[in-house]
Amino acid sequence: RGMEGNLALRTPSLTRRLPALCAVMFGLGAGLEYVMCKTGFYNVTGVKEGQKAASQKAEEEEFWSRVKARREARQAQVTLRTE
């Protein structure tokens, strides 16, 4: 069984510690945002996302141009056979 008296482990009071916990978490979040803004994290991320979107668009355009070329080649084969 558990200890009794002055040496007993008390149950922590959540309502008493919650404001301090919120203040600490807010401070850590604010510090992290400050560091991210000062180091240019958001600028770097924006540029990388833009580059990724541009490369995906280029790959997609290349893919559809190959599909169009294949369709035209097939169409040319079909029209040559029927004539």
Side-chain angles (χ1 to χ4, degrees), residues 7-52:
L7 298 176
L9 292 174
R10 293 181 193 89
T11 318
S13 173
L14 181 65
T15 55
R16 201 181 80 220
R17 293 190 181 188
L18 192 60
L21 180 64
C22 288
V24 168
M25 288 297 152
F26 180 81
L28 286 174
L32 184 63
E33 282 295 321
Y34 177 77
V35 168
M36 290 173 109
C37 290
K38 282 296 180 186
T39 58
F41 173 80
Y42 292 119
N43 296 336
V44 171
T45 304
V47 168
K48 285 185 180 178
E49 289 295 322
Q51 289 173 344
K52 191 185 299 181

Side-chain angles (χ1 to χ4, degrees), residues 61-75:
E61 287 176 359
E62 180 187 343
F63 170 77
W64 286 114
S65 67
R66 284 186 286 152
V67 168
K68 184 178 178 183
R70 271 192 245 126
R71 286 180 182 165
E72 289 172 354
R74 284 189 195 133
Q75 186 66 33

